[in-house]
Amino acid sequence: MTIEARFFLDRGDFTLDVDLVIPGQGVTALFGRSGSGKTTILRCLAGLERIREGRLRFHGETWQEGRRWMPVHKRPLGYVFQEASLFPHLKVRDNLLYGFKRLRPDRRRLALNDISALLGLADLLDRYPDALSGGQRQRVAIGRALLTSPQLLLMDEPMASLDVTSKGEILPYLERLRDELSIPVVYVSHAIEEVARLADHMVLLEAGRVLAQGPLQTLLTRTDLPLAHSEQASAIIEGTVAAHHVSDHLTELAFAGGTLLISHQARAVGTPLRARILARDVSVALTRPDGSSVLNALEVRVSDISDDPQPGYVILTLDTGGQPLLARVSLRSCRQLALAKGQTVWAMVKGVAVA
Protein backbone atom coordinates (compact mmCIF):
# COMPACT_ATOMS: atom_id res chain seq x y z
CA MET A 1 0.00 0.00 0.00
CA THR A 2 1.39 3.38 -1.01
CA ILE A 3 0.60 7.07 -1.27
CA GLU A 4 0.86 8.23 -4.88
CA ALA A 5 0.81 11.93 -5.67
CA ARG A 6 1.31 14.29 -8.59
CA PHE A 7 1.28 18.01 -7.78
CA PHE A 8 1.91 21.00 -10.04
CA LEU A 9 1.59 24.53 -8.70
CA ASP A 10 2.91 27.72 -10.34
CA ARG A 11 3.02 30.82 -8.13
CA GLY A 12 5.24 32.86 -10.41
CA ASP A 13 8.23 33.12 -8.09
CA PHE A 14 7.94 29.44 -7.09
CA THR A 15 6.91 26.32 -9.02
CA LEU A 16 6.13 22.97 -7.43
CA ASP A 17 6.36 20.08 -9.89
CA VAL A 18 6.58 16.70 -8.18
CA ASP A 19 5.65 13.04 -8.61
CA LEU A 20 5.75 11.12 -5.34
CA VAL A 21 5.48 7.50 -4.29
CA ILE A 22 5.45 7.30 -0.50
CA PRO A 23 5.42 3.98 1.40
CA GLY A 24 2.23 3.23 3.30
CA GLN A 25 4.18 2.54 6.48
CA GLY A 26 7.08 3.99 8.45
CA VAL A 27 8.37 7.57 8.39
CA THR A 28 8.99 9.37 5.11
CA ALA A 29 11.05 12.55 5.39
CA LEU A 30 10.58 15.47 3.01
CA PHE A 31 14.06 16.96 3.15
CA GLY A 32 15.58 20.03 1.55
CA ARG A 33 16.55 23.63 2.08
CA SER A 34 14.07 26.33 3.05
CA GLY A 35 11.92 27.15 0.03
CA SER A 36 12.34 23.73 -1.59
CA GLY A 37 8.61 22.94 -1.33
CA LYS A 38 8.43 20.70 1.73
CA THR A 39 5.57 22.44 3.54
CA THR A 40 3.71 23.09 0.28
CA ILE A 41 3.68 19.34 -0.43
CA LEU A 42 2.39 18.67 3.08
CA ARG A 43 -0.41 21.20 2.55
CA CYS A 44 -1.27 19.54 -0.78
CA LEU A 45 -1.48 16.14 0.93
CA ALA A 46 -3.75 17.61 3.61
CA GLY A 47 -5.97 19.38 1.08
CA LEU A 48 -5.07 22.82 2.40
CA GLU A 49 -3.78 23.75 -1.07
CA ARG A 50 -6.43 23.21 -3.71
CA ILE A 51 -4.53 23.01 -6.98
CA ARG A 52 -5.92 22.40 -10.44
CA GLU A 53 -3.23 20.05 -11.65
CA GLY A 54 -3.02 17.37 -9.01
CA ARG A 55 -3.59 13.71 -8.33
CA LEU A 56 -3.53 11.98 -4.96
CA ARG A 57 -4.32 8.37 -4.12
CA PHE A 58 -4.06 7.07 -0.57
CA HIS A 59 -4.08 3.29 -0.15
CA GLY A 60 -6.08 2.90 -3.35
CA GLU A 61 -8.60 5.62 -2.49
CA THR A 62 -8.66 8.73 -4.69
CA TRP A 63 -8.46 11.94 -2.70
CA GLN A 64 -7.86 14.19 -5.69
CA GLU A 65 -8.00 13.72 -9.47
CA GLY A 66 -9.50 15.98 -12.10
CA ARG A 67 -12.71 17.41 -10.68
CA ARG A 68 -12.76 14.88 -7.87
CA TRP A 69 -11.78 16.47 -4.59
CA MET A 70 -12.01 15.12 -1.05
CA PRO A 71 -12.36 18.07 1.35
CA VAL A 72 -9.94 18.48 4.21
CA HIS A 73 -12.35 17.43 6.96
CA LYS A 74 -13.04 14.10 5.24
CA ARG A 75 -9.39 13.10 4.85
CA PRO A 76 -8.45 10.68 7.66
CA LEU A 77 -5.25 12.45 8.67
CA GLY A 78 -3.63 14.28 11.56
CA TYR A 79 -1.51 17.42 11.16
CA VAL A 80 1.18 18.60 13.60
CA PHE A 81 2.46 22.13 12.95
CA GLN A 82 5.71 23.82 13.99
CA GLU A 83 3.92 25.50 16.88
CA ALA A 84 1.87 23.37 19.27
CA SER A 85 -1.06 25.85 19.18
CA LEU A 86 -2.77 24.37 22.24
CA PHE A 87 -5.94 25.90 23.65
CA PRO A 88 -4.64 27.95 26.60
CA HIS A 89 -7.91 27.75 28.57
CA LEU A 90 -8.04 23.94 28.43
CA LYS A 91 -6.03 21.50 30.52
CA VAL A 92 -3.82 18.95 28.77
CA ARG A 93 -6.51 16.27 29.08
CA ASP A 94 -9.10 18.41 27.29
CA ASN A 95 -6.61 19.55 24.64
CA LEU A 96 -5.87 15.89 23.90
CA LEU A 97 -9.55 14.99 23.71
CA TYR A 98 -10.60 17.98 21.59
CA GLY A 99 -10.69 16.07 18.29
CA PHE A 100 -11.40 12.71 19.92
CA LYS A 101 -14.77 13.91 21.25
CA ARG A 102 -15.79 15.00 17.75
CA LEU A 103 -14.99 11.60 16.26
CA ARG A 104 -17.69 8.98 15.79
CA PRO A 105 -17.23 6.22 18.42
CA ASP A 106 -16.87 3.54 15.73
CA ARG A 107 -13.88 5.42 14.28
CA ARG A 108 -11.92 5.72 17.53
CA ARG A 109 -8.93 3.38 17.27
CA LEU A 110 -6.69 4.96 19.92
CA ALA A 111 -7.57 5.82 23.52
CA LEU A 112 -6.40 8.56 25.86
CA ASN A 113 -4.60 6.13 28.17
CA ASP A 114 -2.71 4.57 25.24
CA ILE A 115 -1.49 7.90 23.88
CA SER A 116 -0.68 9.27 27.34
CA ALA A 117 1.53 6.24 27.97
CA LEU A 118 3.14 6.36 24.52
CA LEU A 119 4.06 10.05 24.80
CA GLY A 120 4.72 10.22 28.56
CA LEU A 121 1.82 12.56 29.29
CA ALA A 122 0.10 10.80 32.20
CA ASP A 123 1.55 13.15 34.82
CA LEU A 124 0.67 16.26 32.78
CA LEU A 125 -3.06 15.72 32.16
CA ASP A 126 -4.23 18.24 34.77
CA ARG A 127 -1.81 21.00 33.82
CA TYR A 128 -2.53 24.02 31.65
CA PRO A 129 -0.35 24.69 28.56
CA ASP A 130 1.45 27.64 30.19
CA ALA A 131 2.85 25.24 32.79
CA LEU A 132 4.49 23.02 30.15
CA SER A 133 7.92 23.11 28.54
CA GLY A 134 8.22 23.49 24.78
CA GLY A 135 8.85 19.77 24.34
CA GLN A 136 5.88 18.87 26.52
CA ARG A 137 3.58 21.17 24.57
CA GLN A 138 4.65 19.60 21.32
CA ARG A 139 4.04 16.12 22.71
CA VAL A 140 0.51 17.18 23.63
CA ALA A 141 0.00 18.50 20.08
CA ILE A 142 1.16 15.15 18.67
CA GLY A 143 -1.12 13.29 21.08
CA ARG A 144 -4.08 15.47 20.08
CA ALA A 145 -3.48 14.61 16.41
CA LEU A 146 -3.14 10.89 17.17
CA LEU A 147 -6.38 10.78 19.14
CA THR A 148 -8.30 11.64 15.97
CA SER A 149 -7.26 8.10 14.89
CA PRO A 150 -5.63 9.25 11.64
CA GLN A 151 -4.64 6.88 8.86
CA LEU A 152 -1.87 9.33 7.92
CA LEU A 153 0.11 11.70 10.15
CA LEU A 154 1.66 14.86 8.68
CA MET A 155 4.35 16.61 10.73
CA ASP A 156 5.67 20.01 9.66
CA GLU A 157 9.04 20.57 11.37
CA PRO A 158 7.61 19.78 14.82
CA MET A 159 10.95 20.49 16.51
CA ALA A 160 11.92 23.66 14.63
CA SER A 161 10.96 25.95 17.51
CA LEU A 162 12.53 23.81 20.25
CA ASP A 163 15.91 24.25 21.90
CA VAL A 164 18.48 21.45 21.94
CA THR A 165 17.36 20.14 25.34
CA SER A 166 13.70 20.00 24.30
CA LYS A 167 14.60 18.25 21.04
CA GLY A 168 16.51 15.62 22.99
CA GLU A 169 13.45 15.18 25.19
CA ILE A 170 10.98 14.67 22.36
CA LEU A 171 13.02 12.49 19.95
CA PRO A 172 12.66 9.24 21.94
CA TYR A 173 8.88 9.69 21.94
CA LEU A 174 8.87 10.17 18.16
CA GLU A 175 10.88 6.96 17.86
CA ARG A 176 8.28 5.14 19.96
CA LEU A 177 5.53 6.51 17.74
CA ARG A 178 7.36 5.19 14.67
CA ASP A 179 8.05 1.78 16.21
CA GLU A 180 4.78 1.09 18.02
CA LEU A 181 2.04 2.57 15.82
CA SER A 182 1.26 1.40 12.28
CA ILE A 183 0.48 4.91 11.06
CA PRO A 184 2.47 6.22 8.08
CA VAL A 185 4.14 9.54 8.87
CA VAL A 186 5.25 12.24 6.43
CA TYR A 187 7.82 14.32 8.29
CA VAL A 188 9.13 17.68 7.07
CA SER A 189 12.60 18.76 8.21
CA HIS A 190 15.75 20.52 7.08
CA ALA A 191 17.77 18.99 9.97
CA ILE A 192 19.59 15.91 8.70
CA GLU A 193 20.25 14.60 12.23
CA GLU A 194 16.48 14.39 12.85
CA VAL A 195 15.90 12.66 9.53
CA ALA A 196 18.73 10.18 10.15
CA ARG A 197 17.26 9.23 13.50
CA LEU A 198 13.59 8.95 12.55
CA ALA A 199 13.08 8.30 8.85
CA ASP A 200 12.94 5.09 6.85
CA HIS A 201 12.33 6.73 3.48
CA MET A 202 13.38 10.10 2.08
CA VAL A 203 12.20 12.51 -0.60
CA LEU A 204 15.05 14.91 -1.41
CA LEU A 205 13.76 18.23 -2.73
CA GLU A 206 15.35 21.22 -4.42
CA ALA A 207 13.55 24.30 -5.78
CA GLY A 208 10.16 22.59 -5.95
CA ARG A 209 11.37 19.41 -7.64
CA VAL A 210 12.32 15.91 -6.53
CA LEU A 211 16.04 15.21 -6.80
CA ALA A 212 15.60 11.65 -5.56
CA GLN A 213 13.33 9.47 -3.43
CA GLY A 214 13.95 6.09 -1.86
CA PRO A 215 15.24 4.34 1.27
CA LEU A 216 17.04 6.71 3.65
CA GLN A 217 20.17 4.58 3.85
CA THR A 218 20.51 4.61 0.06
CA LEU A 219 19.98 8.34 -0.49
CA LEU A 220 22.39 9.36 2.26
CA THR A 221 25.24 7.50 0.57
CA ARG A 222 24.55 8.05 -3.13
CA THR A 223 27.55 10.02 -4.39
CA ASP A 224 25.56 11.49 -7.29
CA LEU A 225 23.48 13.42 -4.74
CA PRO A 226 24.60 16.43 -2.65
CA LEU A 227 24.09 14.74 0.75
CA ALA A 228 27.15 12.52 0.35
CA HIS A 229 29.34 15.56 -0.33
CA SER A 230 28.10 17.87 2.41
CA GLU A 231 29.96 18.66 5.62
CA GLN A 232 27.46 16.42 7.43
CA ALA A 233 27.83 13.51 4.98
CA SER A 234 27.02 10.32 6.86
CA ALA A 235 25.74 6.77 6.71
CA ILE A 236 23.27 4.81 8.81
CA ILE A 237 24.12 1.37 10.18
CA GLU A 238 21.16 -0.79 11.21
CA GLY A 239 21.79 -3.45 13.82
CA THR A 240 20.72 -4.88 17.16
CA VAL A 241 21.95 -4.43 20.71
CA ALA A 242 24.36 -7.32 21.34
CA ALA A 243 25.67 -6.52 24.83
CA HIS A 244 26.27 -3.82 27.43
CA HIS A 245 29.74 -3.16 28.84
CA VAL A 246 28.60 -1.51 32.04
CA SER A 247 32.00 -0.70 33.54
CA ASP A 248 33.00 1.12 30.34
CA HIS A 249 29.58 2.76 29.83
CA LEU A 250 29.40 1.24 26.34
CA THR A 251 26.81 -0.66 24.32
CA GLU A 252 27.74 -3.13 21.60
CA LEU A 253 25.84 -2.90 18.31
CA ALA A 254 25.95 -6.01 16.12
CA PHE A 255 25.25 -6.09 12.39
CA ALA A 256 26.26 -8.19 9.39
CA GLY A 257 29.51 -6.24 8.94
CA GLY A 258 30.75 -6.70 12.53
CA THR A 259 30.21 -4.84 15.78
CA LEU A 260 30.40 -1.22 16.93
CA LEU A 261 30.93 0.12 20.43
CA ILE A 262 28.81 3.18 21.17
CA SER A 263 27.92 5.17 24.27
CA HIS A 264 25.68 3.26 26.68
CA GLN A 265 22.08 2.92 25.54
CA ALA A 266 19.26 1.91 27.89
CA ARG A 267 17.87 -0.70 25.52
CA ALA A 268 17.39 -4.41 25.98
CA VAL A 269 19.74 -6.88 24.31
CA GLY A 270 18.27 -7.97 20.99
CA THR A 271 16.35 -4.76 20.27
CA PRO A 272 16.93 -2.90 16.97
CA LEU A 273 19.25 0.10 17.03
CA ARG A 274 20.62 2.37 14.33
CA ALA A 275 23.85 4.36 14.40
CA ARG A 276 24.88 7.36 12.32
CA ILE A 277 28.52 7.64 11.27
CA LEU A 278 29.87 10.85 9.74
CA ALA A 279 32.18 10.47 6.74
CA ARG A 280 34.77 12.73 8.41
CA ASP A 281 34.95 10.32 11.38
CA VAL A 282 36.09 7.37 9.25
CA SER A 283 39.70 6.72 8.27
CA VAL A 284 41.09 3.73 6.39
CA ALA A 285 44.14 1.49 6.70
CA LEU A 286 45.45 -1.42 4.65
CA THR A 287 45.86 -3.56 7.78
CA ARG A 288 44.15 -3.47 11.13
CA PRO A 289 46.12 -0.99 13.25
CA ASP A 290 47.42 -2.15 16.63
CA GLY A 291 47.83 0.06 19.67
CA SER A 292 45.18 2.61 18.65
CA SER A 293 42.75 4.45 20.91
CA VAL A 294 40.07 4.09 18.23
CA LEU A 295 37.73 1.36 19.47
CA ASN A 296 35.93 0.51 16.26
CA ALA A 297 37.63 -1.18 13.31
CA LEU A 298 35.66 -2.83 10.52
CA GLU A 299 36.90 -4.90 7.60
CA VAL A 300 35.26 -3.36 4.53
CA ARG A 301 35.40 -3.41 0.74
CA VAL A 302 35.91 -0.25 -1.34
CA SER A 303 32.90 -0.11 -3.66
CA ASP A 304 33.41 3.39 -5.09
CA ILE A 305 35.81 6.34 -5.09
CA SER A 306 34.38 9.71 -6.10
CA ASP A 307 35.65 13.27 -6.25
CA ASP A 308 34.66 15.55 -3.41
CA PRO A 309 33.83 19.25 -3.87
CA GLN A 310 36.23 19.98 -1.03
CA PRO A 311 39.64 20.41 -2.72
CA GLY A 312 42.17 17.70 -1.98
CA TYR A 313 39.65 15.08 -0.79
CA VAL A 314 37.75 12.10 -2.14
CA ILE A 315 34.70 10.24 -0.87
CA LEU A 316 35.05 6.49 -0.41
CA THR A 317 31.95 4.30 -0.42
CA LEU A 318 32.67 1.23 1.67
CA ASP A 319 30.64 -1.95 1.87
CA THR A 320 30.34 -3.38 5.37
CA GLY A 321 28.19 -6.48 5.47
CA GLY A 322 25.89 -5.16 2.76
CA GLN A 323 25.45 -1.72 4.34
CA PRO A 324 27.21 1.33 2.86
CA LEU A 325 29.62 3.46 4.86
CA LEU A 326 31.20 6.75 3.72
CA ALA A 327 34.74 7.98 4.41
CA ARG A 328 36.16 11.38 3.47
CA VAL A 329 39.93 10.99 3.04
CA SER A 330 42.60 13.16 1.49
CA LEU A 331 43.51 12.66 -2.14
CA ARG A 332 47.11 12.21 -1.05
CA SER A 333 46.19 9.39 1.33
CA CYS A 334 44.17 7.75 -1.41
CA ARG A 335 47.21 7.80 -3.69
CA GLN A 336 49.66 6.66 -1.01
CA LEU A 337 47.47 3.68 -0.10
CA ALA A 338 46.80 2.97 -3.80
CA LEU A 339 43.13 2.55 -3.00
CA ALA A 340 41.00 0.96 -5.73
CA LYS A 341 37.49 -0.35 -6.21
CA GLY A 342 37.06 -3.87 -4.93
CA GLN A 343 39.97 -3.59 -2.49
CA THR A 344 39.56 -4.86 1.09
CA VAL A 345 40.67 -2.36 3.75
CA TRP A 346 40.03 -1.54 7.40
CA ALA A 347 37.74 1.32 8.35
CA MET A 348 38.60 3.01 11.63
CA VAL A 349 35.51 4.68 13.06
CA LYS A 350 36.38 7.52 15.44
CA GLY A 351 32.86 8.59 16.33
CA VAL A 352 29.47 6.88 16.35
CA ALA A 353 26.21 8.64 17.20
CA VAL A 354 22.95 6.91 17.98
CA ALA A 355 20.60 7.70 15.11
Side-chain angles (χ1 to χ4, degrees):
M1 299 177 76
T2 58
I3 303 165
E4 301 172 23
R6 162 69 185 154
F7 298 130
F8 178 83
L9 176 64
D10 188 355
R11 288 180 174 162
D13 60 341
F14 173 76
T15 301
L16 180 73
D17 188 359
V18 296
D19 285 281
L20 304 171
V21 179
I22 297 172
Q25 60 184 7
V27 177
T28 295
L30 303 182
F31 182 79
R33 296 177 181 176
S34 296
S36 60
K38 305 183 297 295
T39 295
T40 303
I41 290 174
L42 218 61
R43 289 176 57 83
C44 289
L45 291 171
L48 297 173
E49 291 278 357
R50 186 159 187 169
I51 58 177
R52 293 181 180 179
E53 298 183 52
R55 183 182 69 255
L56 175 58
R57 290 180 62 81
F58 177 77
H59 290 186
E61 181 182 32
T62 300
W63 288 7
Q64 177 184 354
E65 188 167 15
R67 294 185 177 181
R68 187 170 184 177
W69 173 267
M70 181 182 289
V72 180
H73 67 278
K74 290 188 176 181
R75 300 188 184 196
L77 56 82
Y79 203 126
V80 180
F81 298 88
Q82 291 184 22
E83 299 293 336
S85 299
L86 303 180
F87 298 109
H89 62 290
L90 297 180
K91 291 182 178 181
V92 166
R93 184 191 309 276
D94 295 317
N95 266 285
L96 288 168
L97 293 174
Y98 186 82
F100 180 85
K101 290 177 179 178
R102 289 155 179 77
L103 201 64
R104 288 202 326 249
D106 62 319
R107 293 184 59 190
R108 295 172 180 170
R109 297 187 297 116
L110 298 169
L112 176 62
N113 289 343
D114 299 328
I115 296 303
S116 295
L118 178 72
L119 297 174
L121 299 173
D123 294 335
L124 307 177
L125 294 177
D126 291 321
R127 294 190 192 180
Y128 284 97
D130 61 2
L132 303 177
S133 69
Q136 290 170 336
R137 284 194 295 271
Q138 199 62 289
R139 279 190 278 147
V140 175
I142 294 168
R144 180 175 59 186
L146 290 173
L147 280 169
T148 63
S149 296
Q151 295 178 33
L152 173 66
L153 183 62
L154 307 178
M155 306 186 78
D156 188 4
E157 301 198 69
M159 294 193 287
S161 62
L162 302 181
D163 57 30
V164 173
T165 302
S166 297
K167 286 182 181 180
E169 169 197 322
I170 201 172
L171 271 168
Y173 293 104
L174 293 178
E175 288 175 319
R176 290 187 65 186
L177 187 158
R178 176 196 65 199
D179 297 338
E180 297 181 25
L181 298 182
S182 57
I183 301 173
V185 178
V186 180
Y187 187 96
V188 165
S189 179
H190 64 268
I192 192 63
E193 61 274 10
E194 288 178 29
V195 171
R197 186 160 173 175
L198 296 172
D200 309 293
H201 188 87
M202 177 191 280
V203 178
L204 183 60
L205 296 161
E206 185 174 282
R209 286 167 172 76
V210 176
L211 282 183
Q213 54 187 316
L216 172 70
Q217 198 175 43
T218 300
L219 265 61
L220 285 177
T221 55
R222 272 181 50 180
T223 53
D224 62 327
L225 296 175
L227 291 174
H229 298 283
S230 69
E231 180 63 25
Q232 295 297 312
S234 61
I236 298 296
I237 297 295
E238 303 267 5
T240 57
V241 176
H244 296 292
H245 303 275
V246 180
S247 61
D248 296 323
H249 303 282
L250 296 171
T251 290
E252 188 172 332
L253 173 68
F255 66 107
T259 61
L260 289 168
L261 291 173
I262 62 178
S263 59
H264 176 71
Q265 302 298 310
R267 306 198 188 191
V269 171
T271 58
L273 185 65
R274 65 167 69 172
R276 180 181 178 223
I277 300 174
L278 294 174
R280 64 171 181 255
D281 288 337
V282 180
S283 59
V284 297
L286 299 180
T287 59
R288 180 168 188 161
D290 293 322
S292 171
S293 63
V294 178
L295 295 177
N296 293 306
L298 301 169
E299 191 172 24
V300 299
R301 181 178 59 84
V302 179
S303 55
D304 189 45
I305 303 174
S306 60
D307 294 333
D308 190 61
Q310 187 173 342
Y313 286 85
V314 295
I315 292 289
L316 306 179
T317 304
L318 309 169
D319 181 275
T320 173
Q323 299 193 59
L325 188 65
L326 296 178
R328 175 175 278 121
V329 302
S330 69
L331 183 60
R332 182 168 185 169
S333 295
C334 187
R335 286 200 304 264
Q336 286 181 340
L337 296 175
L339 297 178
K341 294 181 183 179
Q343 185 177 5
T344 298
V345 297
W346 285 87
M348 309 298 292
V349 182
K350 292 173 282 187
V352 182
V354 175

